[in-house]
Amino acid sequence: ILREIQPLNLRPDAAVFTNLDGRPIEPKAFSTHWYHCLRVLGLPVRGLYSTKDSYVSLLMSRGMNPVWLEEQTGVRFETLRKHYGKWMRSEGADQLRKLADLAPQLAPQRSGAEQASGISRE
């Protein structure tokens, strides 16, 4: 869709979305329409910025990689963890499962004779 509306003379510093005058769209330009939509839908009135909060918390609750999310949103990992940490999925069980899969390599089983005699393979 963006490729289809791309201007003929594309500049690296050009805004992707512009108003009718060709200037960048200001977030406040949406406020009236945004608040009206929220009221019609019966949703609590919140600023447009809160969409980022919803986006981040949804992705974190689904196990999205925080490093990727940090790169995409520009929000540092420390800030993501502080403000959205309660939506981060705990990786504990998954990490323990990976560790259990490595158990045979980390601590090979000794034979019955070795165990009885206390002999070690080392």
Side-chain angles (χ1 to χ4, degrees):
I1 292 173
L2 292 176
R3 221 175 265 123
E4 291 178 20
I5 64 171
Q6 180 175 308
L8 295 175
N9 299 321
L10 186 63
R11 297 183 337 262
D13 62 337
V16 175
F17 300 104
T18 59
N19 61 20
L20 296 176
D21 298 326
R23 285 182 265 150
I25 296 174
E26 295 295 325
K28 287 290 182 187
F30 291 107
S31 295
T32 304
H33 305 291
W34 175 250
Y35 295 139
H36 176 73
C37 289
L38 292 174
R39 284 185 192 100
V40 167
L41 294 170
L43 297 172
V45 176
R46 301 229 186 334
L48 190 58
Y49 190 78
S50 66
T51 58
K52 177 194 66 87
D53 294 329
S54 298
Y55 176 73
V56 170
S57 58
L58 174 70
L59 293 183
M60 292 190 96
S61 70
R62 299 296 194 276
M64 187 62 66
N65 182 330
V67 174
W68 177 84
L69 200 51
E70 176 185 32
E71 290 171 2
Q72 189 190 42
T73 63
V75 178
R76 292 176 43 128
F77 177 76
E78 294 80 15
T79 304
L80 290 172
R81 186 154 187 83
K82 179 180 177 183
H83 294 286
Y84 305 100
K86 64 181 173 184
W87 287 287
M88 280 184 159
R89 190 174 2 165
S90 172
E91 299 297 330
D94 182 53
Q95 299 306 305
L96 288 173
R97 196 169 21 262
K98 288 178 183 178
L99 185 59
D101 291 344
L102 289 173
Q105 297 167 16
L106 296 174
Q109 295 294 318
R110 297 188 297 171
S111 71
E114 288 174 328
Q115 288 176 356
S117 67
I119 299 172
S120 172
R121 292 184 197 183
E122 298 172 5

